[in-house]
Amino acid sequence: MTALSVNLNKVATLRNTRHHDAPSVMKAARIVLEAGAAGVTVHPRPDARHIRERDVFDLAELLRAPEWAGREFNVEGYPDDRFLELIERVRPDQVTLVPDAPEQSTSDHGWDLPADAAVLTPIVARVQKLGCRVSLFADPDVSVIEGAKAVGADRVELYTGTYHDAFGGPQQDEVLAVFVVAAQRARDLGLGLNAGHDLTLDNLPTLSRAIPWIDEVSIGHHLIGDALWMGIAASVKAYQKCLEAGQSQSAPLKAATR
């Protein structure tokens, strides 16, 4: 079963519009874990516009509690010195490296591999020595997947923004087939597979059905948005049902050649 990691950035974004702790990121984390989420994801950006460094430490402590044994903490970010020092102090279960510039509003593309190999190879090794699994944010391109394997990554996280944009339109099947090709290459190489960005209650079952071997999806914006209408716990359970529905009906999708 594909694990659901809930990204809490948007809870922090709302909190940061006031000078107090409401809505509480920690309370949201407890609710999603109680609802059955496999873990939580955060992205502590340099400008702290949503998740703050203190949140990272508090969440790490929460997830070390015996009641959450087996749940995972995923911290994503651009691997500058500040970020790597934070990772060394927190040592989360998984570190997702993203090629974000500080001024980006959101992660919207993967690493340029193999061009970024010289930069990433020592960073991947450094983080793995801390006992963290390393995932690289990646576009659905076979050369990128192969590059991730070459630098020693444990997993890739497929950037699914382009899938979201194509979903429901005439290019949906063609775009989805590109993701299947990339996902299959990751599988063939022995890389773990994550996916994330603009996954919704509408498009998640189709992706899950086409690529049932996804290890983890990280979902924040739409899950928290849906929680405005149904509550956080119900939203988590709805996304889990999407994964279950997709995987119970999984069937191979004919892959596009590239």
Side-chain angles (χ1 to χ4, degrees), residues 39-256:
V40 296
T41 293
V42 294
H43 187 155
R45 293 178 181 273
D47 61 6
R49 63 179 179 263
H50 39 64
I51 290 295
R52 298 167 177 163
E53 191 172 280
R54 182 71 259 163
D55 297 321
V56 179
F57 290 112
D58 289 345
L59 289 166
E61 183 176 357
L62 173 70
L63 284 157
R64 282 194 289 267
E67 64 185 306
W68 307 126
R71 311 299 180 91
E72 291 198 347
F73 189 24
N74 174 42
V75 180
E76 58 184 25
Y78 182 80
D80 57 12
D81 290 340
R82 175 203 62 88
F83 179 80
L84 293 173
E85 288 169 5
L86 178 63
I87 293 303
E88 287 174 349
R89 296 174 65 187
V90 175
R91 303 195 178 201
D93 301 283
Q94 180 172 262
V95 176
T96 301
L97 304 179
V98 296
D100 284 4
E103 65 274 10
Q104 281 184 229
S105 62
T106 186
S107 304
D108 61 6
H109 64 281
W111 290 97
D112 182 8
L113 288 167
D116 290 329
V119 172
L120 286 172
T121 298
I123 292 173
V124 169
R126 175 179 171 181
V127 174
Q128 288 171 332
K129 286 180 181 178
L130 301 172
C132 308
R133 180 195 308 127
V134 177
S135 178
L136 298 183
F137 206 52
D139 295 315
D141 184 295
V142 167
S143 64
V144 172
I145 304 305
E146 292 170 346
K149 178 67 175 180
V151 302
D154 302 295
R155 292 186 183 181
V156 291
E157 178 178 334
L158 293 179
Y159 165 64
T160 49
T162 53
Y163 166 67
H164 167 272
D165 293 344
F167 188 78
Q171 302 300 312
Q172 174 184 311
D173 289 346
E174 180 181 348
V175 171
L176 182 57
V178 171
F179 278 85
V180 174
V181 170
Q184 185 61 57
R185 186 57 180 147
R187 192 182 198 185
D188 292 343
L189 291 171
L191 283 170
L193 184 66
N194 297 342
H197 202 89
D198 279 340
L199 293 175
T200 71
L201 292 173
D202 291 329
N203 65 35
L204 183 56
T206 301
L207 183 72
S208 180
R209 187 161 52 247
I211 314 173
W213 62 92
I214 295 174
D215 293 296
E216 174 186 289
V217 290
S218 175
I219 305 178
H221 179 88
H222 293 279
L223 188 151
I224 298 302
D226 290 327
L228 293 174
W229 322 122
M230 63 178 70
I232 295 180
S235 186
V236 170
K237 291 174 182 178
Y239 277 85
Q240 289 173 319
K241 286 182 180 179
C242 281
L243 290 169
E244 293 167 3
Q247 294 185 330
S248 68
Q249 304 168 23
S250 62
L253 179 76
K254 184 176 180 182

